[in-house]
Amino acid sequence: MEETIWTPRLYGKHNFGVNLDKDFARDAIQLRIPIERQTRMNKLANKELERLRTNWLDPYTFHGDSCLITQCYIGQNGVGLSLDYQIVDNLLKDKIYSKVIEYDSHNVDTPSQAYVLMTLFDKWVEYADAVKNV
């Protein structure tokens, strides 16, 4: 992985967004993976959450049987990072005209919550890239 796959968009006090490379997102939504692999990615994320002292399990929500996450959720009164369902539809129809796919955070109240979400998103990119190159 040599090119930039994702970058944060900082705004507000703690809320942020993530710009994900459109080609990476398209590859991830087209890549069919078994539920066991999605479960394994969540288990790896659970270990990361434990390391970060965040008490939540299975933070990734995948689009169907694809490798694309539509949400990264860590509980704590609705703290998460998600992709709008319309963007998913447009990705499936190959009707995305910008260079990036935008995820938005929700209910982020502290810098540590933002850090946990960005860390989990980065881990998912790493896992998805590894699965893509198998």
Side-chain angles (χ1 to χ4, degrees):
M1 219 170 28
E2 294 175 12
E3 70 276 2
T4 301
I5 303 297
W6 73 276
T7 56
R9 289 186 329 274
L10 305 175
Y11 55 85
K13 189 169 181 177
H14 303 293
N15 278 311
F16 67 98
V18 168
N19 291 338
L20 178 66
D21 178 78
K22 173 183 73 171
D23 295 329
F24 189 89
R26 187 176 49 239
D27 289 348
I29 203 167
Q30 291 174 353
L31 181 60
R32 299 289 169 242
I33 61 173
I35 189 78
E36 295 82 16
R37 187 149 295 158
Q38 291 176 348
T39 301
R40 178 72 178 134
M41 285 186 194
N42 265 314
K43 284 184 180 182
L44 291 168
N46 292 343
K47 288 182 188 270
E48 191 66 24
L49 285 171
E50 185 178 319
R51 184 184 73 76
L52 295 169
R53 296 189 172 125
T54 301
N55 188 23
W56 195 257
L57 293 175
D58 301 338
Y60 300 136
T61 302
F62 293 88
H63 175 72
D65 64 348
S66 79
C67 194
L68 182 75
I69 59 168
T70 56
Q71 179 174 262
C72 183
Y73 185 75
I74 60 170
Q76 303 174 13
N77 295 320
V79 176
L81 185 65
S82 64
L83 186 61
D84 185 272
Y85 73 92
Q86 189 62 47
I87 293 173
V88 172
D89 287 343
N90 288 340
L91 258 175
L92 289 167
K93 296 174 186 172
D94 205 21
K95 291 187 177 184
I96 299 289
Y97 303 109
S98 66
K99 292 181 181 183
V100 296
I101 302 300
E102 296 181 356
Y103 286 77
D104 291 301
S105 67
H106 305 283
N107 302 322
V108 176
D109 296 321
T110 67
S112 64
Q113 290 172 331
Y115 179 77
V116 167
L117 288 172
M118 283 192 263
T119 299
L120 287 173
F121 194 85
D122 187 61
K123 289 293 181 186
W124 166 74
V125 167
E126 185 180 317
Y127 303 151
D129 192 56
V131 168
K132 191 171 74 168
N133 292 317
V134 169

